[in-house]
């Protein structure tokens, strides 16, 4: 089992939609508590929390109980990247730095790594040279905004970055989401420190132990696991908070939006196609919220804890606590009780058949391409122009094409100044996204 770089993966694979059922496999860890580096399937972890990829395709993991950051490289080898098994609060080179129960991790466009150092009440930064510094927080437990060196946090959890590289931190004990801008100013993004279940803007909104946050770079919105309310909340850039799914009651119920129920959810991620995935920490399942707001269970047996691979309806998790999309387009799940990372193979499968990719009525051929590729939109009926956006893996927009295709229904995308590599595309018509996926230039 290997993690391949995105460029290698997409250069040899063409994506096609199939009706294949989800299956669960083990990606890393042997389901034993411990600290052991080496091949992924023989490595040992202890309390895996949030995960994040860098631009080279390396996966970084908060190994909380081992007080360190682990790395799984492109060959599938696990190493200890920063920190030691013994807890502490020591800055410096990654070989000597110490952490205390690191829970959250996010990586910016330059491969700087940010870690929520939970029991030190700070956010640490690991730069590209391997130097660990304190990025925000003064080490005292509390709730104080202002300059990053004076700010106070309380048991910081999961992190995310927006397209402008502002950092957001779930601060559950304070019932808020904090924002650290690129100038080092700490502010409250949403919430007012009171426990509640109220939609609104900024400090008028209320949360209850918000434990995880993720950012959808395509739609420029945030999603929060509001654990105390057993709900998934949505936040716009201006701090407008609404309830996307969950009705505030503890349970496991699939269905439309606020008619559904969650059981203290934690990890949350998006797939770039408008779908949201949630780790069901205490009902032992992985849930999906699609673009229409419909909640479904895609893996695990509700209220049944275990460690079993296989089809989605027989697979079991010990305690799924965080989720992230893999470079292959599947879902990686940190299974906290089983000290392992599991893979949920999603319905987007791969085939090496050199056929056009199809995504919501859109065909792209060839893909990968060298000089140009043809984008055909099969089901479009509107006269409204279509806009194609291309993004690199950091989320930076690299190309934008506006074209009226009401007659030809196809667009020729020229390589132009695009460099070799993987790009994400989004095709929109007005305010509606009609297709998303991956393109490879080689």
């Amino acid at each position: 089992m290997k993690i391949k770089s995105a460029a290698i993966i997409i250069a040899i694979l063409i994506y096609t939609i199939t009706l294949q059922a989800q299956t669960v496999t083990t990606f890393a860890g042997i389901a034993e508590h411990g600290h052991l580096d080496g091949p992924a399937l023989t490595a040992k972890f202890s309390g895996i929390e949030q995960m994040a990829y860098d631009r080279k395709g390396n996966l970084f993991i908060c190994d909380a109980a081992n007080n360190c950051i682990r790395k799984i490289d492109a060959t599938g080898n696990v190493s200890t990247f920063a920190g030691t098994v013994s807890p502490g609060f020591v800055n410096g080179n990654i070989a000597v730095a110490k952490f205390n129960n690191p829970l959250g991790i996010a990586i910016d466009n330059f491969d700087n790594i940010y870690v929520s150092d939970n029991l030190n009440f700070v956010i640490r930064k690991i730069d590209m040279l391997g130097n660990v510094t304190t990025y925000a927080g003064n080490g005292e437990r509390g709730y104080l905004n202002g300059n990053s060196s004076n700010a106070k946090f309380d048991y910081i959890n999961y992190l995310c970055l927006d397209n402008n590289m502002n950092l957001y931190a779930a601060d559950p004990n304070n019932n808020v989401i904090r924002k650290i801008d690129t100038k080092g100013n700490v502010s409250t993004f949403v919430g007012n420190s009171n426990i509640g279940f109220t939609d609104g803007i900024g400090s008028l909104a209320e949360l209850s132990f918000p434990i995880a946050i993720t950012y959808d770079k395509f739609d420029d919105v945030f999603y929060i696991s509001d654990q105390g309310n057993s709900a998934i909340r949505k936040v716009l850039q201006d701090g407008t908070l609404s309830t996307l799914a969950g009705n505030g009651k503890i349970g496991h119920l699939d269905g439309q939006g606020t008619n559904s129920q969650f059981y203290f959810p934690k990890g949350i991620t998006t797939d770039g196609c408008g779908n949201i995935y949630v780790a069901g920490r205490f009902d032992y399942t992985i849930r999906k919220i699609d673009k229409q707001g419909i909640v479904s269970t895609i893996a695990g047996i509700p209220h049944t804890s275990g460690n079993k691979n296989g089809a989605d309806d027989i697979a079991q998790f010990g305690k799924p606590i965080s989720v992230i999309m893999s470079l292959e387009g599947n879902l990686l799940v940190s299974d906290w009780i089983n000290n392992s990372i599991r893979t949920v193979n999603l319905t987007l499968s791969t085939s090496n058949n050199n056929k056009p990719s199809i995504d919501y009525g859109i065909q792209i051929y060839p893909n990968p391409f060298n000089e140009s590729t043809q984008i055909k939109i099969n089901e479009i009926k509107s006269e409204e122009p279509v806009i194609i956006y291309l993004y690199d893996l950091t989320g930076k927009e690299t190309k934008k094409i506006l074209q009226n295709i009401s007659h030809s229904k196809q667009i020729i995308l020229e390589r132009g100044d695009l460099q070799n590599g993987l790009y994400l595309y989004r095709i929109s018509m007005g305010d509606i996204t009609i297709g998303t996926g991956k393109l490879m230039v080689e």
Side-chain angles (χ1 to χ4, degrees), residues 125-190:
K125 177 181 178 179
I126 308 172
D127 68 20
M128 294 178 292
L129 300 177
N131 299 309
V132 180
T133 56
T134 301
Y135 185 69
N138 64 6
E140 296 180 10
R141 180 181 177 183
Y143 180 36
L144 181 65
N145 290 321
N147 183 272
S148 60
S149 61
N150 296 321
K152 294 182 181 181
F153 301 86
D154 195 349
Y155 295 123
I156 318 166
N157 263 263
Y158 288 3
L159 306 174
C160 73
L161 289 151
D162 68 12
N163 284 333
N164 296 315
M165 295 301 101
N166 299 302
L167 185 67
Y168 298 80
D171 193 355
N173 270 19
N174 286 320
N175 301 297
V176 295
I177 301 296
R178 313 288 287 280
K179 175 181 177 179
I180 304 97
D181 67 21
T182 55
K183 296 180 179 179
N185 299 308
V186 179
S187 60
T188 298
F189 179 50
V190 66

Side-chain angles (χ1 to χ4, degrees), residues 254-315:
D254 290 338
Q256 181 70 46
T258 53
N259 292 323
S260 64
Q261 292 180 357
F262 292 81
Y263 199 139
F264 298 139
K266 188 168 186 182
I268 187 168
T269 194
T270 63
D271 63 5
C273 297
N275 301 302
I276 303 155
Y277 299 89
V278 182
R281 186 180 189 180
F282 292 110
D283 59 4
Y284 317 116
T285 61
I286 305 301
R287 314 286 289 280
K288 174 183 176 180
I289 309 171
D290 69 15
K291 292 183 292 184
Q292 286 72 46
I294 298 173
V295 179
S296 60
T297 301
I298 65 167
I301 303 174
H303 311 300
T304 302
S305 179
N307 187 15
K308 183 185 293 185
N309 289 324
D312 55 351
D313 57 347
I314 66 169

